[in-house]
């Protein structure tokens, strides 16, 4: 599988080139490795110089249900059946109160690890701050508080989930001290609870005692008021009096109702009799049912009926004059008289009964009213009495409750149950918990490596130089004619020997590639005059000019002209005398063409140096005489190579490009910024210069192989790359001449 298979497409269509990042890492691998090793070594030195820290642990069980002899939760006010209780205990373990007790009990303020006078590195930083008053020593109180802060800082309380266990942990450089602190902290925690519980019990007992005396006096006063009221109201048994009055009233009421009914009925009869007049007849009296049904009246009625039958019989038999008839009539009259008398007596009896019932009703009504008033008075006394009795009962109940609580509290003072106990005492640790040397070293190596990778990627992203053919095409919008590798040789070697000294080397092969690209760029109309320029000095354009001329001279007659009238370098590179006549002499007419053109031993290239540097080179190159001289020379040579000044230094290249058939732009690999090179090419194109392509110069093949497979595979496929490396002294590198 090739690395290109791992290219990932983003959702927006952009491609993440993983090969590029891989090449960046390979190119910077030694720097990243050195950085990682340096930081890791530094971390190792630091971590091994640190004081080891040990951690001790004491496990404590906090009870949520305490063993109690008496039930006095209301006195303590504890609710141990919720999470808040345990959270409160955890916070108490971390409190300054317990820490203060531990410091005092163990004398930590004078311990070398805590005493600022003995441990300057830990406590004396404030003494050197500019805003601190100088010369003032710490007081005992300040040292004590600083010791407490130090103790709390290294103390940790770790509850165990879903249990009632909590781990008390402490970290210190002294393992024995760490174990002693955690055990002491647990013990102080238990003792603190017991002391607080005892203090609370004593406080409750004192308060209950004081309150009990007041309640006793209140109860006695309420009982006295109750007894005094009973005596004043003449109440012996309020329940019995109340029952008697209620029964009497009930009886009177029943009698009153009965008498009222009798009176009502008697009144009806009385009014019927009264309606008959003063002396009613017997027949009128008989019209009243109560009189006619009277037994005595009934007897007389039967006697009357018998007398009447007797008179009727005698009248039929004897007539009115018969003595027996007279006697019978006299008997009937007597019976009638008796009947009338009896009826009148019954009527009088009804009248008397009515009057008697009326008097009885009035008497009972009066008695009933008196009984009601008496009962109401008793009820009022009862309400007052019940109020006093309730007050006494309440005071007695409250007194009894406080008396019971007071006895329970006094009994519980001698028995105090601890709410926690130590499950696992601390063991003196033998292995430090920090620093974790191996972990720190590994993390330092990982972090430094990642940091180095990020720095390499960021620097690569920030770099705007030209390094690859893709950079030339994308950023310069030009064609790459070829690249020239960086020649590693002795400094004494001449620039043109790069092509001639090793015809099968990388450099020579690269020059041939540039030559081929130039020739093939226009076969039908070969470039007679070729201008070679660059963006800035020292990019190797003169080296390219010399070696390209050597390569072209193997097929054609070539004239190399040093047209860089500012800083000419070709004559010096080829070993020509400094005062040799050249281009300026030819244009000025002070020397002939034969005098200005020189042959270099061992080469077939004709060279025309710059000659005497004129006061204004641009006027010389813009003159008609220069154009005419160039035209004459073109008739005698198949190809003319013009080495020009850089485009960003002067405008000489722009003027010379108007006479050239082709312009080759030289860019130094991994040195010239893309903006600068693009600007130079754009200036040439603005004057319609025939820019045929770019030559990437001074490419370090060892470094550039990490840019992609272009450079590494270019020569390896033919075996040149390895052979070229043999016998090369890489400690000495001669850059191409600019």
């Amino acid at each position: 599988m090739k690395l290109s298979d791992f290219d990932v497409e983003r959702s927006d269509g952009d491609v993440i080139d993983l090969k590029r990042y891989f090449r960046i890492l390979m190119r910077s691998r030694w720097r990243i490795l050195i950085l990682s090793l340096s930081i890791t070594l530094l971390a190792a030195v630091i971590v091994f110089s640190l004081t080891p820290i040990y951690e001790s642990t004491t496990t404590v069980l906090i009870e949520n249900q305490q063993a109690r002899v008496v039930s006095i939760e209301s006195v303590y006010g504890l609710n141990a059946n919720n999470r808040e209780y345990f959270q409160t205990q955890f916070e108490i373990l971390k409190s300054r109160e317990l820490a203060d007790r531990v410091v005092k009990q163990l004398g930590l303020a004078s311990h070398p690890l805590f005493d600022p006078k003995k441990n300057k590195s830990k406590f004396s930083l404030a003494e050197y701050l500019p805003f601190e008053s100088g010369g003032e020593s710490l007081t005992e109180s300040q040292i004590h508080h600083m010791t407490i802060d130090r103790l709390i800082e290294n103390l940790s309380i770790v509850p165990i989930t879903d249990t009632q266990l909590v781990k008390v942990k402490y970290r210190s450089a002294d393992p024995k001290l760490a174990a002693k602190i955690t055990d002491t902290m647990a013990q102080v925690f238990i003792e603190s609870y017991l002391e607080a519980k005892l203090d609370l019990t004593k406080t409750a007992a004192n308060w209950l005692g004081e309150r009990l005396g007041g309640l006793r006096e209140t109860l006695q006063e309420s009982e006295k008021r109750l007894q005094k009221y009973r005596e004043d109201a003449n109440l012996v048994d309020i329940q019995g009096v109340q029952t008697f009055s209620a029964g009497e009233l009930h009886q009177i009421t029943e009698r009153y109702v009965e008498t009222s009914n009798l009176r009502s009925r008697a009144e009806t009869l009385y009014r019927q009799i009264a309606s008959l007049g003063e002396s009613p007849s017997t027949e009128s009296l008989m019209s009243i049912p109560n009189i006619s049904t009277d037994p005595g009246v009934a007897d007389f009625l039967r006697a009357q009926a018998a007398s009447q039958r007797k008179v009727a019989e005698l009248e039929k038999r004897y007539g009115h004059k018969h003595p027996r008839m007279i006697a019978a009539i006299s008997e009937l009259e007597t019976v009638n008289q008796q009947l009338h008398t009896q009826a009148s007596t019954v009527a009088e009896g009804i009248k008397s009964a009515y009057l008697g019932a009326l008097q009885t009703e009035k008497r009972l009504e009066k008695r009933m009213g008196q009984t009601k008033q008496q009962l109401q008075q008793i009820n009022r006394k009862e309400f007052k009495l019940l109020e006093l009795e309730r007050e006494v009962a309440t005071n007695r109940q409250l007194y009894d409750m406080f008396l019971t609580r007071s006895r329970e509290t006094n009994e519980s003072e001698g028995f105090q149950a601890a709410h926690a106990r130590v499950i696992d005492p601390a063991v003196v640790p033998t292995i430090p918990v920090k620093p974790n040397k191996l972990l720190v070293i590994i993390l330092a190596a990982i972090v430094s490596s990642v940091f180095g990778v990020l720095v390499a990627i960021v620097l690569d992203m920030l770099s705007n130089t030209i390094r690859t053919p893709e950079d030339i095409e994308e950023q310069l919008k030009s064609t790459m004619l070829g690249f020239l590798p960086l020649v590693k040789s002795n400094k004494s070697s001449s620039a043109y020997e790069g092509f001639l000294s090793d015809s099968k080397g990388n450099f020579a092969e690269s020059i041939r590639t540039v030559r081929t690209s130039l020739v093939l760029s226009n076969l039908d109309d070969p470039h007679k005059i070729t201008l070679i320029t660059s963006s800035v000095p020292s990019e190797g354009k003169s080296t390219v000019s010399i070696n390209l001329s050597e390569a072209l001279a193997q097929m054609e007659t070539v004239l190399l002209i040093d047209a860089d009238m500012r800083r000419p370098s070709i004559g010096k590179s080829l070993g020509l005398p400094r005062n040799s006549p050249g281009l300026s002499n030819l244009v000025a007419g002070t020397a002939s063409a034969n005098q200005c053109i020189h042959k270099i031993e061992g080469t077939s290239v004709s060279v025309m140096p710059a000659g005497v540097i004129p006061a204004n080179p641009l006027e010389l190159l813009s003159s008609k005489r220069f154009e005419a001289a160039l035209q004459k020379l073109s008739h005698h040579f198949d190809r003319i190579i013009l080495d020009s000044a850089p485009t960003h230094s002067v405008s000489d290249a722009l003027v010379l490009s108007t006479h050239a058939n082709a312009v080759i732009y030289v860019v130094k690999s991994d040195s010239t910024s893309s903006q600068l090179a693009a600007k130079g090419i754009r200036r040439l194109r603005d004057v319609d210069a025939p820019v045929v392509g770019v030559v990437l110069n001074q490419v370090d093949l060892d470094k550039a192989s990490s840019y992609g497979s272009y450079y590494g595979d270019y020569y390896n496929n033919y075996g040149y790359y390895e052979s070229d490396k043999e016998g090369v002294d890489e400690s000495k590198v001669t850059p191409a001449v600019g």
Side-chain angles (χ1 to χ4, degrees):
M1 182 179 292
K2 297 181 179 180
L3 188 60
S4 59
D5 297 335
F6 290 94
D7 290 349
V8 181
E9 291 190 1
R10 297 179 182 175
S11 58
D12 57 359
D14 296 336
V15 176
I16 301 177
D17 190 359
L18 296 182
K19 294 187 297 181
R20 175 188 175 188
Y21 295 109
F22 179 76
R23 291 193 297 268
I24 294 173
L25 297 182
M26 295 305 297
R27 184 169 63 252
S28 306
R29 61 186 181 276
W30 294 112
R31 297 178 183 176
I32 296 174
L33 181 60
I34 293 174
L35 175 64
S36 178
L37 290 177
S38 300
I39 296 179
T40 303
L41 181 60
L42 178 61
V45 171
I46 294 175
V47 76
F48 277 100
S49 65
L50 294 177
T51 302
I53 303 299
Y54 299 87
E55 182 180 74
S56 66
T57 302
T58 299
T59 305
V60 179
L61 171 64
I62 300 178
E63 301 283 356
N64 65 339
Q65 292 292 340
Q66 305 171 29
R68 295 183 291 270
V69 176
V70 292
S71 177
I72 50 175
E73 296 89 348
S74 58
V75 175
Y76 299 131
L78 295 180
N79 182 10
N81 294 325
N82 49 40
R83 295 178 58 187
E84 288 77 6
Y85 169 77
F86 293 103
Q87 191 63 37
T88 301
Q89 300 307 313
F90 302 153
E91 293 299 324
I92 291 175
L93 277 169
K94 296 185 289 186
S95 65
R96 292 183 65 87
E97 173 66 21
L98 293 186
D100 178 67
R101 293 191 179 194
V102 173
V103 169
K104 292 179 179 178
Q105 186 168 335
L106 298 179
L108 297 180
S110 59
H111 194 278
L113 292 178
F114 291 88
D115 189 357
K117 298 177 182 178
K118 301 177 182 179
N119 189 7
K120 294 292 184 180
S121 62
K122 299 295 184 181
F123 289 90
S124 61
L125 178 60
E127 299 178 2
Y128 301 100
L129 297 178
F131 52 78
E132 291 289 336
S133 58
E136 294 185 3
S137 60
L138 296 173
T139 63
E140 294 297 329
S141 177
Q142 290 175 331
I143 295 176
H144 184 73
H145 287 297
M146 293 169 67
T147 304
I148 294 175
D149 294 336
R150 180 81 183 280
L151 177 64
I152 295 176
E153 178 183 356
N154 295 299
L155 180 69
S156 60
I157 307 300
V158 183
I160 301 178
T161 307
D162 298 330
T163 68
Q164 296 173 207
L165 299 176
V166 59
K167 292 184 179 295
V168 181
K169 297 184 177 182
Y170 187 79
R171 292 186 175 185
S172 173
D174 187 347
K176 295 182 179 179
L177 178 63
K180 186 181 297 184
I181 287 177
T182 55
D183 284 343
T184 305
M185 178 64 71
Q187 190 63 34
V188 167
F189 171 65
I190 298 173
E191 294 175 355
S192 174
Y193 176 83
L194 294 177
E195 292 175 4
K197 190 175 181 181
L198 181 59
D199 293 340
L200 186 60
T201 302
K202 292 181 178 179
T203 302
N206 295 334
W207 181 81
L208 287 174
E210 295 175 359
R211 184 61 177 158
L212 195 59
L215 291 175
R216 184 184 300 108
E217 295 177 358
T218 302
L219 176 60
Q220 292 175 353
E221 291 178 0
S222 62
E223 289 177 341
K224 290 179 181 179
R225 286 196 300 271
L226 175 61
Q227 184 61 30
K228 185 177 183 303
Y229 180 75
R230 283 178 174 175
E231 294 175 356
D232 294 342
N234 295 321
L235 297 176
V236 178
D237 186 1
I238 185 64
Q239 187 66 29
V241 175
Q242 186 179 20
T243 304
F244 173 77
S245 299
E248 182 182 6
L249 179 62
H250 179 68
Q251 293 177 0
I252 293 174
T253 302
E254 288 182 351
R255 290 179 59 192
Y256 174 77
V257 173
E258 183 180 355
T259 303
S260 180
N261 292 334
L262 292 175
R263 190 267 309 160
S264 179
R265 291 193 297 271
E267 183 179 4
T268 302
L269 294 175
Y270 173 75
R271 293 190 182 280
Q272 289 178 357
I273 295 171
S275 64
L276 298 178
E278 290 293 335
S279 300
S281 62
T282 301
E283 291 76 7
S284 299
L285 292 175
M286 290 298 106
S287 64
I288 298 175
N290 287 63
I291 296 177
S292 61
T293 58
D294 183 74
V297 174
D299 291 341
F300 284 109
L301 286 175
R302 286 192 295 270
Q304 183 185 30
S307 297
Q308 288 177 353
R309 287 194 301 274
K310 185 177 180 182
V311 171
E313 291 177 357
L314 293 176
E315 184 179 4
K316 291 180 180 179
R317 182 182 299 176
Y318 300 106
H320 292 285
K321 300 292 187 172
H322 193 279
R324 294 184 66 180
M325 181 66 179
I326 295 172
I329 293 173
S330 177
E331 183 181 355
L332 177 61
E333 291 178 354
T334 301
V335 171
N336 289 336
Q337 184 62 37
Q338 291 177 346
L339 177 62
H340 179 74
T341 302
Q342 183 64 30
S344 298
T345 301
V346 172
E348 287 296 331
I350 292 174
K351 181 177 179 181
S352 298
Y354 163 68
L355 294 177
L358 181 60
Q359 291 179 357
T360 301
E361 181 184 15
K362 290 181 179 180
R363 186 174 63 256
L364 290 175
E365 183 178 2
K366 182 178 180 181
R367 181 66 181 276
M368 186 173 60
Q370 292 175 352
T371 304
K372 286 183 178 180
Q373 291 180 356
Q374 183 180 4
L375 186 59
Q376 289 176 355
Q377 292 178 357
I378 292 175
N379 288 337
R380 285 193 290 270
K381 292 180 181 179
E382 179 188 12
F383 292 152
K384 181 64 175 178
L385 183 62
L386 291 177
E387 180 182 353
L388 293 174
E389 287 180 344
R390 284 194 300 270
E391 182 180 359
V392 171
T394 302
N395 291 336
R396 181 177 290 109
Q397 183 181 5
L398 187 61
Y399 175 77
D400 293 341
M401 182 183 67
F402 271 77
L403 180 61
T404 303
R405 293 295 185 268
S406 178
R407 290 176 179 175
E408 291 177 351
T409 304
N410 291 331
E411 291 176 1
S412 65
E413 288 187 17
F415 181 85
Q416 300 295 336
H419 74 312
R421 56 192 174 94
V422 176
I423 300 298
D424 289 329
V427 178
V428 177
T430 57
I431 301 176
V433 293
K434 69 176 185 178
N436 191 335
K437 299 178 181 179
L438 180 60
L439 179 61
V440 171
I441 294 174
I442 292 175
L443 289 178
I446 294 175
V447 172
S448 59
S449 299
V450 173
F451 178 74
V453 169
L454 293 177
V455 170
I457 293 176
V458 170
L459 292 177
D460 182 79
M461 291 180 176
L462 294 177
S463 176
N464 59 352
T465 58
I466 303 298
R467 293 176 293 190
T468 64
E470 290 80 4
D471 294 337
I472 295 175
E473 295 176 359
E474 295 175 3
Q475 301 182 34
L476 303 184
K477 309 300 180 183
S478 298
T479 303
M480 180 174 173
L481 298 178
F483 73 92
L484 302 181
L486 181 64
V487 178
K488 299 178 180 181
S489 61
N490 295 328
K491 293 183 179 180
S492 60
S493 300
S494 301
Y496 67 90
E497 290 181 355
F499 178 77
L500 298 178
S501 61
D502 186 6
S503 61
K504 294 184 179 181
N506 292 351
F507 188 82
E509 187 63 29
S510 298
I511 288 293
R512 294 189 186 97
T513 301
V514 175
R515 179 189 65 183
T516 303
S517 299
L518 176 63
V519 172
L520 294 179
S521 62
N522 196 343
L523 288 175
D524 297 334
D525 185 13
H527 305 303
K528 191 74 171 179
I529 301 175
T530 300
L531 175 67
I532 298 178
T533 185
S534 63
S535 301
V536 292
S538 301
E539 290 194 76
K541 60 177 182 57
S542 298
T543 300
V544 174
S545 301
I546 295 173
N547 287 277
L548 181 58
S549 299
E550 290 290 345
L552 290 171
Q554 292 180 350
M555 302 182 300
E556 305 171 332
T557 57
V558 178
L559 174 63
L560 173 61
I561 300 177
D562 189 355
D564 187 355
M565 309 300 292
R566 316 284 179 164
R567 295 173 59 184
S569 59
I570 289 181
K572 180 179 178 181
S573 300
L574 297 177
L576 297 177
R578 184 175 183 180
N579 56 355
S580 299
L583 179 61
S584 60
N585 302 95
L586 178 62
V587 174
T590 59
S592 63
N594 292 330
Q595 294 175 330
C596 296
I597 297 174
H598 305 273
K599 282 288 187 178
I600 305 301
E601 185 179 356
T603 69
S604 57
V605 179
S606 299
V607 178
M608 180 181 292
V612 179
I613 298 177
N616 194 339
L618 186 59
E619 291 183 0
L620 176 67
L621 298 176
S622 303
S623 64
K624 296 292 185 181
R625 295 176 60 85
F626 172 76
E627 182 179 4
L630 196 60
Q631 289 294 332
K632 289 181 181 180
L633 292 173
S634 63
H635 294 302
H636 299 281
F637 294 93
D638 296 330
R639 196 175 299 270
I640 297 176
I641 304 298
L642 296 177
D643 181 53
S644 173
T647 58
H648 286 278
S649 300
V650 290
S651 302
D652 296 2
L654 301 180
V655 175
L656 292 174
S657 65
T658 59
H659 305 291
N661 305 112
V663 176
I664 296 176
Y665 204 86
V666 178
V667 176
K668 185 178 180 180
S669 175
D670 204 12
S671 176
T672 306
S673 67
S674 58
Q675 294 86 348
L676 191 65
K679 184 178 179 181
I681 295 175
R682 186 169 57 251
R683 291 182 63 188
L684 291 171
R685 288 174 176 171
D686 289 341
V687 296
D688 296 329
V691 180
V692 296
V694 175
V695 173
L696 192 60
N697 193 25
Q698 300 186 35
V699 177
D700 188 347
L701 293 181
D702 293 335
K703 180 179 178 181
S705 61
S706 61
Y707 294 145
S709 60
Y710 182 87
Y711 298 110
D713 295 341
Y714 191 85
Y715 293 107
N716 287 341
N717 293 336
Y718 295 95
Y720 294 151
Y721 183 67
E722 294 295 333
S723 62
D724 183 64
K725 292 172 64 177
E726 297 178 358
V728 175
D729 184 4
E730 296 185 0
S731 63
K732 299 178 180 180
V733 177
T734 303
V737 179

